């Protein structure tokens, strides 16, 4: 025998009310906002750091950043072993050629120097001194006190006669 389920009117009303409540509450749920496509933001990349500039009336310490920047630019080229390249770049930036010293590019037997030094006398007491070469592997620059007779580098230096 098959049994037939018969719903009473009260039970039917309860089921209908439950279904209606579920549908009603489902309609109240927040609907997700349509996602906007991301706005492409144009970025120029990192803000470039301005190149340091020569401060003619400044101190040696104030001019060390520009001295170092010039030396690093030359070091980054294929002229990194040429003392003349450092001197010329410093002169182009505004440093006084007559206040400069530079060591030899080559050893006495014609090999490239392991260390090349260049300097600019600054005022009556200070020197900007740079050193590059395979022995340092990078630009080393500092402010040093002047030596006797206004010199900056110890030993024999090459004439800057070009």
């Amino acid at each position: 025998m098959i049994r037939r389920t018969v719903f009473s009117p009260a039970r039917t009303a309860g089921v209908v009310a439950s279904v209606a409540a579920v549908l009603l509450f489902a309609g109240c749920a927040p609907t997700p906002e349509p996602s906007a496509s991301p706005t492409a933001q144009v970025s120029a990349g990192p803000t470039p750091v301005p190149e340091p500039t020569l401060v003619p009336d400044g101190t040696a310490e104030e001019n060390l950043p520009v001295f170092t920047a010039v030396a690093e630019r030359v070091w980054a080229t294929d002229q990194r072993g040429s003392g003349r390249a450092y001197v010329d770049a410093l002169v182009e930036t505004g440093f006084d050629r007559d206040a400069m010293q530079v060591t030899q590019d080559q050893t006495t037997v014609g090999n490239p120097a392991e260390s090349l030094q260049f300097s600019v006398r600054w005022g009556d007491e200070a020197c900007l001194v740079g050193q590059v070469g395979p022995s340092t592997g990078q630009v080393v620059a500092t402010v040093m006190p002047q030596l006797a007779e206004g010199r900056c580098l110890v030993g024999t230096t090459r004439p800057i006669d070009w």
Side-chain angles (χ1 to χ4, degrees), residues 3 40-41 47 49 56 81 84 86 95 98 100-101 124-125 136 139-140 150 160:
R3 191 173 213 210
Q41 294 183 359
T47 305
V49 176
R84 181 176 181 157
Y86 293 95
F95 288 95
D98 293 333
M100 293 185 191
Q101 290 181 281
D124 294 330
E125 297 180 9
T136 62
V139 173
V140 178
I160 301 175

Side-chain angles (χ1 to χ4, degrees), residues 37-54:
S37 62
T39 305
Q41 294 183 359
V42 178
S43 175
T47 305
V49 176
E51 278 287 315
T53 56
L54 184 67

